[in-house]
Amino acid sequence: MQINKENIDNVNAVINLTIEKTDYEKQVADVLKDYRQKANIPGFRPGKAPKGLIEKKFGTAVLVEEVNKLLSQNLSKFMVDEKLPLLGEPLPNEEKQKDIDWEKDENFEFVFDIALAPEVKVNLDTDSKYKYYKIAVSDEMIDQQEQMAASQLGQNVPVDVASDNSSIRGNFVQLDAEGNEVEDGIAPQGVLLAVDMIKDEEIKNAFVGCKKDDIVIFDPVKAFENRAEVGHMLNIKPEVVDTLDSQFRYTVTEILQFENAELNEELFKKLYGEDTEVKTIEDFRARIKEEIATNLVYSSDYKFTIDARDTLVENTKMELPEAFLKRWLIAVNKELTLEQIENDFDAFIKDLQWQLIKDEIAKENEIQVTPEETVEFAKKMALAQYQQYGIHDVPEEQLESFANMMLEKQEERERIYKKLHEDKVVEVVKGKVTLEETEVSQEEFNEMMK
């Protein structure tokens, strides 16, 4: 077998590979021998069919398969041994690749085009100035978080009179056209209604101001304008609710009004655990401000990553084999049209440039992501999800379990790895350039991100 590489330019090369008869004849003979022993040929006992018949029937197919195996194995081994920095995958050379006659040829020549990653030199020093936008924490943000916490830990309390945002519990009784109770009719007990969810204004007003033991007669379908919701409320089957056209007597048994939790030490312990140092409202607002500032860092870092990527891609000159890359994208994306690939090609090239820049920075600074770091990141993601629902004091073993479950999915594990790797690269950039920190409001930042 002969294999060699011929450089076309800095980023394009050709691999020539010749497979000769001596490379494959033993493998082909062994496979055909096995076929002969197992083949079920009419007129011959198993293993007794003539060798020539087996070769005629299966020879070409076996030859093609064995040659392709050798081709794949040796091409891959050559690229690994030569440590070729490939972009994409080898493609058959459209000009030099000869037609193959599998019936007559004994030696087979293959010619592949390959693309090589260019040499990348990234300039990072203190003379390079990058803006970093720090988002200011406003009193309005703190107020919103404070109110959210009070709401999340609030509860319904009994009241005497219903308002337009009360919840009312009561018993339904189905009525006929004359207003009489339907025998064996629909009559669920203890059904909770939210007054502000009633769509019909006349029916809603009938509930506002009502008291315990008051009776409201109404059509639930008219009130809520959603038969599926009414079916769930009355606990009846879909085929029943689909044709339901009845008035109901609803007797009020309880009126509830939601009240926010009081901002006190008891609430702070529910949020942050028994050992929390948050004792007063002032402590609570300071803690909220700290949490918001921490979360806003993620937004600032994301903006910095985008800006750093754009700046580095623009300032880092590199030669890319664009003609080859277009061919490769067409070859591996059969579902995409040439027009779609052309339209997205600039974005693809920019992403590729950024990847090459990241790889070079990672190589120069020996950046690695450990399994322990992926677990810790997954735990932070889990905690962030709990905190969205106002749960801050989450047991470590619960976070560990959540993280391990997340990392069992290969796609999620790879996504976390790539995120951590990019974050480390960006931290290196931050540490080597001059940051010009600018404080902006949330509104100003949102406008910049449009």
Side-chain angles (χ1 to χ4, degrees), residues 58-151:
F58 301 108
T60 301
V62 171
L63 172 65
V64 171
E65 184 177 357
E66 293 305 314
V67 168
N68 279 323
K69 280 183 186 178
L70 285 171
L71 172 63
S72 177
Q73 292 167 359
N74 285 276
L75 184 61
S76 297
K77 183 177 183 301
F78 178 79
M79 292 186 295
V80 171
D81 291 346
E82 295 292 314
K83 298 179 181 178
L84 299 179
L86 292 185
L87 297 178
E89 299 163 2
L91 294 176
N93 184 287
E94 295 174 335
E95 296 178 358
K96 297 181 180 180
Q97 178 62 59
K98 299 176 182 177
D99 292 335
I100 293 175
D101 188 336
W102 293 100
E103 300 286 346
K104 297 179 180 179
D105 292 345
E106 292 187 342
N107 298 330
F108 304 97
E109 297 179 10
F110 299 94
V111 186
F112 291 96
D113 293 326
I114 60 170
L116 305 173
E119 184 178 342
V120 178
K121 292 183 179 179
V122 184
N123 180 33
L124 295 174
D125 54 45
T126 53
D127 291 335
S128 303
K129 296 180 180 180
Y130 288 64
K131 286 190 177 296
Y132 184 87
Y133 296 98
K134 184 178 179 181
I135 306 170
V137 181
S138 66
D139 288 340
E140 183 181 359
M141 292 180 187
I142 298 173
D143 291 342
Q144 288 175 350
Q145 289 297 109
E146 183 182 283
Q147 292 164 11
M148 187 181 299
S151 174

Side-chain angles (χ1 to χ4, degrees), residues 22-246:
T22 53
D23 297 319
Y24 63 79
E25 61 182 345
K26 184 180 184 305
Q27 292 94 315
V28 171
D30 289 344
V31 173
L32 289 174
K33 181 179 179 181
D34 186 59
Y35 272 37
R36 185 183 182 197
Q37 292 173 347
K38 297 177 181 178
N40 187 10
I41 305 295
F44 299 94
R45 295 198 308 269
K48 298 300 182 181
K51 180 181 177 182
L53 180 61
I54 296 295
E55 289 178 352
K56 184 177 180 181
K57 188 173 181 65
F58 301 108
T60 301
V62 171
L63 172 65
V64 171
E65 184 177 357
E66 293 305 314
V67 168
N68 279 323
K69 280 183 186 178
L70 285 171
L71 172 63
S72 177
Q73 292 167 359
N74 285 276
L75 184 61
S76 297
K77 183 177 183 301
F78 178 79
M79 292 186 295
V80 171
D81 291 346
E82 295 292 314
K83 298 179 181 178
L84 299 179
L86 292 185
L87 297 178
E89 299 163 2
L91 294 176
N93 184 287
E94 295 174 335
E95 296 178 358
K96 297 181 180 180
Q97 178 62 59
K98 299 176 182 177
D99 292 335
I100 293 175
D101 188 336
W102 293 100
E103 300 286 346
K104 297 179 180 179
D105 292 345
E106 292 187 342
N107 298 330
F108 304 97
E109 297 179 10
F110 299 94
V111 186
F112 291 96
D113 293 326
I114 60 170
L116 305 173
E119 184 178 342
V120 178
K121 292 183 179 179
V122 184
N123 180 33
L124 295 174
D125 54 45
T126 53
D127 291 335
S128 303
K129 296 180 180 180
Y130 288 64
K131 286 190 177 296
Y132 184 87
Y133 296 98
K134 184 178 179 181
I135 306 170
V137 181
S138 66
D139 288 340
E140 183 181 359
M141 292 180 187
I142 298 173
D143 291 342
Q144 288 175 350
Q145 289 297 109
E146 183 182 283
Q147 292 164 11
M148 187 181 299
S151 174
Q152 286 173 334
L153 295 175
Q155 59 183 345
N156 284 313
V157 296
V159 294
D160 294 331
V161 181
S163 68
D164 59 2
N165 61 353
S166 296
S167 295
I168 300 176
R169 193 180 303 279
N171 302 325
F172 275 103
V173 173
Q174 187 178 14
L175 306 177
D176 61 20
E178 285 73 38
N180 300 313
E181 184 175 334
V182 175
E183 186 177 353
D184 297 326
I186 302 167
Q189 305 290 292
V191 179
L192 192 67
L193 305 180
V195 176
D196 60 358
M197 296 299 291
I198 298 174
K199 303 294 190 297
D200 185 273
E201 288 299 320
E202 184 178 348
I203 297 174
K204 179 186 289 187
N205 291 334
F207 279 98
V208 175
C210 71
K211 301 175 183 178
K212 184 180 178 182
D213 298 326
D214 281 357
I215 293 174
V216 179
I217 296 175
F218 71 104
D219 178 352
V221 174
K222 181 180 178 183
F224 293 97
E225 300 178 359
N226 185 314
R227 288 185 178 271
E229 184 179 327
V230 171
H232 179 74
M233 180 177 65
L234 299 178
N235 194 26
I236 55 178
K237 295 179 179 179
E239 58 267 27
V240 177
V241 75
D242 285 346
T243 57
L244 184 65
D245 183 19
S246 294

Side-chain angles (χ1 to χ4, degrees), residues 420-439:
L420 286 172
H421 187 271
E422 182 171 85
D423 286 349
K424 287 191 173 190
V425 168
V426 173
E427 282 303 311
V428 168
V429 175
K430 274 187 188 177
K432 293 194 174 186
V433 302
T434 298
L435 293 184
E436 295 181 333
E437 192 171 288
T438 303
E439 187 171 81

